[in-house]
Amino acid sequence: MIKPTYSIIIPVFNEEEVLPSLFPRLEALVSRLDASCEVLLIDDGSRDRSPEIITKALASFPWLRFIRFARNFGHQAALSAGYDFAQGDAVVCMDADLQDPPEVVVEMAQRWREGFQVIYGVRNARAGETLFKKFTAWSYYRTMRSLARIDMPVDAGDFRLLDRNAVDALRSIRERNRYLRGLVAWIGFKQCSVKYDRAGRAAGETKYPLRKMLALAFDGILSFSSVPLRTALILGFVVSGLSFITGIAALVVKIGGWYTVDGWTSLAVLVCFIGGVHLTVMGLIGEYISRIYDEVKARPLYIVAENRGGP
Ligand code: UDP
Ligand code: MG
């Protein structure tokens, strides 16, 4: 079979409820695109029936490819695998839960034909998401933008189209704590965005609990910014400066003979406070070191257990 023009990457983690409604939407998309298309479903170690459902679908859809991970390696690893296996000249990522409407891909493809190399899907509205998620996402994208010195588009998730050149550039970055949104902004190229309304999840529950969301947010900030380290340093300076002044004041009071209170409380508070600052700063440094450790081990980003379908 000839190489497809478009590749669509979809990470799947315990998505048995949405898969049945996903296939017809994909089929419609594949027929609407102006050139050949392959769809890569990357099963990120699902523990439900998703792998069986996809394996069955392989027989009915010639454009479908199925890659199964040996265990759950996480959304970003699944996307990375997608970029590694995709053969198309334009590669689109989207979520399995139909929150990123497949129809928008047609619009992205038009912009790609116009010569853009990185096309972001930017969220207009976020239906069916909690106020908490909307607020945290809103503030996170803006904090990230002011901390990291790269021009990251706000409100753009992992729904995007990349040209082959951009994909190859992205693939040359093999860092382990990946924050693809940042990396995509970092590689540059001719970028533009397509606005879309983010739908609610078609079925099932979110596979991004708060724990995973926080981990991703942390990866984003720590791998693109050393501002937190600098803040730790400044905090250290401020606190030691204050301690120094307090020390001088204590001496003056003592020498002047005004020293009457036994002053245990202030001492205890000071010791606790400085201890707390120490621990925070050490923990912060530890976060960076643990990331360095991960990089040094240089383990593969994911392990593929099965690779089926497609050309
Ligand atoms: N996902 C994954 N591995 C994980 C968690 C999620 O591959 O460990 C996939 C999931 O199947 C979906 C996409 O990542 O296709 C986005 O997840 P979800 O829709 O649950 O996140 P949300 O939209 O709630 O942020
Ligand atoms: Mg979702």
Side-chain angles (χ1 to χ4, degrees):
M1 200 179 129
I2 33 147
K3 199 168 71 67
T5 306
Y6 295 103
S7 296
I8 294 170
I9 305 171
I10 305 178
V12 174
F13 178 57
N14 295 342
E15 301 283 13
E16 59 182 6
E17 288 114 322
V18 280
L19 285 173
S21 36
L22 178 66
F23 290 122
R25 293 280 286 276
L26 287 175
E27 172 121 279
L29 171 64
V30 169
S31 60
R32 273 186 65 192
L33 283 170
D34 56 8
S36 57
C37 178
E38 63 171 358
V39 177
L40 285 87
L41 291 186
I42 292 127
D43 182 80
D44 186 14
S46 295
R47 284 179 283 268
D48 65 357
R49 295 193 49 254
S50 308
E52 284 88 347
I53 298 173
I54 300 170
T55 310
K56 219 177 267 165
L58 280 174
S60 352
F61 306 112
W63 37 263
L64 191 62
R65 283 180 70 188
F66 176 39
I67 287 151
R68 189 169 63 79
F69 279 0
R71 65 166 172 86
N72 180 249
F73 281 90
H75 182 210
Q76 303 288 304
L79 290 177
S80 307
Y83 283 125
D84 290 341
F85 286 94
Q87 295 178 312
D89 297 321
V91 182
V92 182
C93 307
M94 55 190 219
D95 287 353
D97 57 3
L98 293 169
Q99 280 195 289
D100 309 322
E103 297 69 35
V104 178
V105 175
V106 178
E107 204 180 321
M108 288 180 166
Q110 277 162 8
R111 308 307 299 269
W112 177 62
R113 293 285 185 200
E114 287 165 17
F116 288 98
Q117 290 166 301
V118 174
I119 297 129
Y120 292 100
V122 172
R123 300 151 181 175
N124 260 334
R126 303 172 75 108
E129 285 185 346
T130 58
L131 209 63
F132 175 73
K133 174 123 189 184
K134 278 183 203 168
F135 175 71
T136 46
W138 183 88
S139 44
Y140 177 70
Y141 285 119
R142 278 151 189 87
T143 313
M144 191 59 208
R145 209 180 149 90
S146 59
L147 281 185
R149 273 196 220 90
I150 41 166
D151 197 14
M152 286 218 336
V154 291
D155 299 326
D158 280 311
F159 186 30
R160 66 177 96 82
L161 182 150
L162 296 187
D163 177 69
R164 175 46 54 191
N165 290 328
V167 171
D168 289 341
L170 194 63
R171 288 187 57 207
S172 67
I173 307 172
R174 299 312 282 180
E175 61 186 59
R176 285 207 38 89
N177 294 291
R178 339 198 91 215
Y179 184 66
L180 283 167
R181 290 162 210 188
L183 295 178
V184 169
W186 185 83
I187 57 173
F189 289 101
K190 209 172 160 210
Q191 314 201 342
C192 75
S193 58
V194 167
K195 292 224 162 187
Y196 73 103
D197 289 329
R198 190 152 166 92
R201 200 170 225 289
E205 306 225 306
T206 175
K207 307 298 177 300
Y208 251 103
L210 191 63
R211 181 178 53 79
K212 277 191 191 172
M213 219 164 80
L214 282 178
L216 181 70
F218 246 70
D219 272 349
I221 291 179
L222 295 190
S223 57
F224 278 97
S225 166
S226 39
V227 175
L229 274 181
R230 185 123 359 107
T231 317
L233 190 70
I234 292 169
L235 193 66
F237 276 143
V238 169
V239 170
S240 46
L242 284 178
S243 312
F244 189 70
I245 294 169
T246 317
I248 302 266
L251 267 180
V252 170
V253 167
K254 176 89 184 163
I255 292 164
W258 306 295
Y259 188 69
T260 43
V261 203
D262 30 23
W264 181 83
T265 320
S266 57
L267 209 65
V269 168
L270 220 64
V271 168
C272 290
F273 175 65
I274 295 178
V277 170
H278 263 142
L279 287 179
T280 316
V281 172
M282 298 269 284
L284 184 68
I285 295 172
E287 280 295 322
Y288 280 91
I289 292 182
S290 76
R291 280 168 171 72
I292 298 173
Y293 183 50
D294 270 352
E295 299 296 339
V296 170
K297 282 188 290 192
R299 292 189 184 151
L301 296 173
Y302 52 83
I303 291 168
V304 170
E306 202 178 334
N307 180 355
R308 304 175 57 174

